[in-house]
Amino acid sequence: MTYSLKHSSFDFEDIKVGYFTAGEGLPVMMIHGSGPGASSLGNWSKVLKPLSQRYRVYAMDLVGFGTSDRKPTQPYFDFSLWVRQAKAMLDLIDVPQIGVIGHSLSAAIALQLASADQRIRAVLTTGAIGAPFAVSDATKRVWRSPANRDELVATLSTLIHDRSIIDEAYIANREPVVFSPGYGDYFNEMFTGHPEQYVEQTTLSDDTLSAITCPVVMLHGREDIPFPAKTSEILASKINHADLTLLHHCSHSVAFERSDAFLAAAYHLFN
């Protein structure tokens, strides 16, 4: 099957939102994380093509990231806004059943949606946040925009266990976004203040988690330092139909570091 990735956009609360589509089959919506330079193309670079051979993928950029416009007013970190954006994307796709994949911050978004929307057939999460965890220096590093190439490499090394895979292509994919005009200031303002507040904003209630009735598969890197696997363990223990796999030699970037395990989980879950 020929791989053709198409970019589109829609207006959401007076903000232009970008997303990519490819493939045919069961619709699967994919939502990236919130690290510096994060985007759909960056987060899912190794899995978009194989997923599109089986599914109709919709990879959306959150407001403030990738091809989506920035939020015009503070607070730029706005979990409820991103949840509404994801809901708007579901409404745009407008199908009776859909799979959802959420990474890191967006794992919490995916689970929040699944608790209230019966259209969601199954959820796959990677490196999930959504439960309380202790903010470390590694977490703080990920929530600051690198000022130069060396800092970018250091940040990426925080997110990836095997640093040998951080090659020139991977770095070059992030540089145009991270070092674009105004991006660093915007990103740093997004995560200004005490970092614990962002953990609190994304923590899902027990009622929310117990309301999820669809199957959930959670993947988390065993060597994830900035966002420890304990968060996925807590979430999985409170979701009725959740399976959790801890991946060895893997930090936070599951779809990039362990794309084989990611794809196997997706193929089984969305069959």
Side-chain angles (χ1 to χ4, degrees):
M1 183 183 297
T2 302
Y3 176 59
S4 178
L5 194 64
K6 177 184 177 182
H7 181 263
S8 303
S9 63
F10 67 97
D11 290 329
F12 162 72
E13 298 185 10
D14 297 323
I15 303 172
K16 187 177 181 180
V17 168
Y19 65 96
F20 297 87
T21 56
E24 300 295 336
L26 174 75
V28 174
M29 183 171 76
M30 309 174 70
I31 326 173
H32 62 79
S34 60
S39 67
S40 284
L41 293 185
N43 203 148
W44 311 119
S45 61
K46 292 184 70 173
V47 298
L48 271 174
K49 182 177 180 179
L51 285 177
S52 73
Q53 306 304 305
R54 298 192 182 205
Y55 312 110
R56 175 66 171 172
V57 295
Y58 294 81
M60 180 182 65
D61 285 326
L62 294 174
V63 169
F65 294 91
T67 61
S68 291
D69 286 349
R70 298 169 187 169
K71 189 183 177 192
T73 58
Q74 296 190 34
Y76 300 141
F77 188 100
D78 194 334
F79 183 69
S80 62
L81 173 86
W82 290 321
V83 171
R84 296 195 305 275
Q85 178 189 349
K87 172 66 162 55
M89 187 75 206
L90 285 177
D91 292 341
L92 181 73
I93 298 169
D94 191 24
V95 292
Q97 284 198 319
I98 187 169
V100 179
I101 302 174
H103 173 60
S104 194
L105 161 77
S106 292
I109 294 173
L111 295 174
Q112 180 78 50
L113 287 177
S115 71
D117 199 317
Q118 295 301 310
R119 292 176 295 181
I120 297 179
R121 170 175 167 175
V123 174
L124 174 62
T125 71
T126 57
I129 65 174
F133 69 94
V135 173
S136 64
D137 288 342
T139 315
K140 295 175 183 176
R141 185 179 302 119
V142 173
W143 285 345
R144 296 294 297 175
S145 182
N148 52 55
R149 183 183 174 90
D150 288 343
E151 289 188 9
L152 174 59
V153 172
T155 299
L156 295 175
S157 299
T158 305
L159 297 168
I160 294 176
H161 177 68
D162 181 2
R163 299 181 182 185
S164 68
I165 65 177
I166 305 175
D167 57 15
E168 286 298 317
Y170 189 80
I171 298 169
N173 185 49
R174 295 262 180 163
E175 283 184 307
V177 177
V178 173
F179 302 130
S180 63
Y183 180 87
D185 291 339
Y186 180 90
F187 188 86
N188 289 335
E189 283 295 323
M190 181 182 293
F191 289 99
T192 191
H194 296 293
E196 289 79 7
Q197 66 182 299
Y198 306 111
V199 178
E200 293 174 2
Q201 287 186 42
T202 55
T203 294
L204 302 176
S205 70
D206 289 355
D207 287 345
T208 293
L209 297 172
S210 64
I212 299 171
T213 58
C214 69
V216 175
V217 171
M218 312 188 77
L219 305 178
H220 212 120
R222 195 173 63 191
E223 285 75 36
D224 192 338
I225 305 303
F227 305 100
K230 186 65 176 178
T231 58
S232 284
E233 293 174 9
I234 293 171
L235 293 169
S237 71
K238 298 179 178 181
I239 299 171
N240 290 326
H241 305 287
D243 291 332
L244 168 62
T245 299
L246 298 183
L247 301 172
H248 65 85
H249 294 102
C250 182
S251 180
H252 192 59
S253 303
V254 173
F256 189 81
E257 299 179 86
R258 292 292 305 275
S259 55
D260 55 343
F262 175 93
L263 290 169
Y267 295 158
H268 178 74
L269 184 62
F270 302 128
N271 62 11

